[in-house]
Amino acid sequence: MALGKTTRKYVINAAIIVFVALLTCFYLFRNKNVTADSVRAIKWYYFLICFCLFFACVLIEATIERLIYGTFTDEMNYGKSLLNVLFGRFGSGITPFRSGHFPLKAYYQYKAGIAAQTTVTGFLKCQIIYSAVSIIVYIAVFVYLLVTGISAEVAGINVKLWTAAAIGLAFHVVVFAAVIVLAFSERFQRGTLKLCCKVAEKIKKTFDCEKFYTEQTEKLARFKEQVKIVGKSCEKYLLPAALYALYMVLSGSFQYAAFLLLSGKTFTAAGLFMFYILNLTSTYIANVVPLPGGVGTAEVLFLLVFANVISDPLLGETLVLWRVSTYYIPIIAEFLLFIPISLNKRKMQNYS
């Protein structure tokens, strides 16, 4: 497995990120959403505090993956789980629609000598837990917002915030359903494999469709067994599930943490909840625009979505503190980590 074929794509994405980031800075300063004085007003250790909150979420995510992988293998220790998470975050941060998340995770595990079947099983089990917990959380949030009718004004339009929870709920229901259907519907499996064969044969005339079909059928059978195992031993996944619910709240509260630091206001559960829902709203809108890492769109949407809860000049200051601490600094650090590991020539002999 080599990253050479996709290197050009990542280089192009990196160039797009730099270019759009510069344009975004120009836009923010020209419109005076951000000024030199507002940037200087941000104490340096605020960036450190916000980055530490971000890294705490990374550590929680690594703990979750270590616990889930630990239910079936000893190959992924905590150090590897942490690097796996960082590679996944780096992939999400440099590709549109976060499309590089799983490929870079798979690439890291390949480099680390993790068996292919372990990688596939780990991805599957993690996704089942993540989707199941997300469905539960989003149902609770959706019902609350629907009953209370809480709304926010975005670019002059009154938006019912239950719609953001509904989008998140729908997405995770579809993902969860797809996993279950793929595992248990033999008809769907056959149709999917036949389609893959037809596409592969058109790309490569010498493609061995029969061998591919046999190998993938066996893998899908193991896939089905792993899904059953998760269902039969739910108690093993209660701790990672609880940690993921905590992770969802913390990772959605970065803007609130930045706001509290700059404003000096007291933490409230109501404030955290409002910022969390507004974060969901801006995130799902930003995901529609195919820019790597949401660069540009995340900043502009922040100004539009959070304008009702953060007044000037704190709005621009909060934006800078949040994005620099939780995206730009981490993406640079992850890139510096990515280079030496990607240059490592180690490969697993029986990886397939």
Side-chain angles (χ1 to χ4, degrees):
M1 181 179 181
L3 197 62
K5 295 181 180 179
T6 58
T7 299
R8 184 179 178 183
K9 180 183 72 175
Y10 289 123
V11 169
I12 292 173
N13 285 340
I16 291 173
I17 289 173
V18 173
F19 178 71
V20 176
L22 291 174
L23 283 180
T24 302
C25 287
F26 176 75
Y27 168 82
L28 293 174
F29 278 94
R30 184 178 182 180
N31 290 340
K32 295 185 179 180
N33 300 118
V34 178
T35 65
D37 289 336
S38 66
V39 173
R40 283 195 292 267
I42 306 173
K43 295 179 174 61
W44 69 267
Y45 56 86
Y46 286 176
F47 290 101
L48 180 60
I49 292 172
C50 286
F51 177 78
C52 286
L53 176 60
F54 164 83
F55 194 65
C57 286
V58 172
L59 294 177
I60 292 173
E61 189 177 358
T63 301
I64 295 168
E65 296 210 354
R66 172 68 188 95
L67 290 170
I68 294 175
Y69 274 83
T71 61
F72 68 94
T73 183
D74 294 325
E75 290 186 78
M76 285 284 283
N77 57 32
Y78 188 80
K80 289 180 179 178
S81 298
L82 178 57
L83 289 172
N84 190 51
V85 168
L86 291 172
F87 262 64
R89 284 182 169 275
F90 181 60
S92 296
I94 62 171
T95 54
F97 308 121
R98 302 182 178 183
S99 57
H101 183 80
F102 287 113
L104 275 189
K105 272 191 169 184
Y107 176 68
Y108 166 71
Q109 291 186 44
Y110 161 72
K111 281 287 188 178
I114 305 299
Q117 191 56 43
T118 299
T119 297
V120 173
T121 302
F123 283 176
L124 164 66
K125 289 194 170 186
C126 287
Q127 192 57 57
I128 290 175
I129 300 303
Y130 295 164
S131 292
V133 173
S134 296
I135 288 171
I136 295 171
V137 171
Y138 281 132
I139 285 176
V141 172
F142 171 75
V143 171
Y144 177 80
L145 291 173
L146 189 63
V147 171
T148 58
I150 298 175
S151 61
E153 188 173 303
V154 179
I157 301 174
N158 189 267
V159 178
K160 294 293 185 181
L161 294 181
W162 62 262
T163 56
I167 293 171
L169 176 60
F171 172 78
H172 287 286
V173 167
V174 169
V175 171
F176 188 80
V179 170
I180 300 303
V181 170
L182 183 60
F184 294 97
S185 174
E186 293 184 4
R187 182 177 180 180
F188 183 75
Q189 290 175 3
R190 289 194 298 270
T192 302
L193 292 179
K194 287 179 180 178
L195 177 61
C196 290
C197 282
K198 289 182 179 179
V199 172
E201 284 178 328
K202 289 184 177 181
I203 297 174
K204 186 179 180 181
K205 300 299 182 182
T206 58
F207 181 77
D208 191 338
C209 190
E210 185 176 346
K211 180 182 178 182
F212 170 81
Y213 192 91
T214 301
E215 290 177 348
Q216 298 307 314
T217 300
E218 292 175 355
K219 288 182 180 180
L220 286 171
R222 291 195 294 269
F223 176 32
K224 179 179 179 178
E225 290 306 312
Q226 291 298 332
V227 174
K228 287 182 178 179
I229 289 172
V230 173
K232 291 178 180 178
S233 54
C234 293
E235 69 282 354
K236 292 183 179 180
Y237 303 93
L238 291 178
L239 179 56
L243 286 174
Y244 188 69
L246 172 64
Y247 166 82
M248 288 180 66
V249 174
L250 289 179
S251 62
S253 66
F254 296 147
Q255 296 100 326
Y256 189 49
F259 170 71
L260 291 180
L261 285 170
L262 293 166
S263 66
K265 293 189 176 182
T266 305
F267 170 88
T268 64
L272 173 63
F273 182 76
M274 176 58 73
F275 270 73
Y276 179 75
I277 299 305
L278 291 177
N279 172 61
L280 283 183
T281 303
S282 60
T283 298
Y284 282 116
I285 296 174
N287 285 342
V288 175
V289 183
L291 284 173
V295 175
T297 54
E299 288 81 1
V300 173
L301 283 169
F302 178 90
L303 297 175
L304 294 175
V305 173
F306 286 88
N308 281 337
V309 293
I310 306 176
S311 59
D312 291 327
L314 280 180
L315 183 63
E317 293 177 19
T318 304
L319 167 61
V320 171
L321 179 55
W322 161 60
R323 273 301 263 179
V324 171
S325 302
T326 62
Y327 178 74
Y328 291 104
I329 291 177
I331 206 72
I332 293 172
E334 288 159 0
F335 173 69
L336 295 176
L337 180 67
F338 172 78
I339 293 174
I341 294 178
S342 63
L343 294 176
N344 184 357
K345 299 299 182 181
R346 180 182 177 184
K347 296 180 180 180
M348 198 182 87
Q349 294 179 354
N350 60 345
Y351 192 93
S352 60

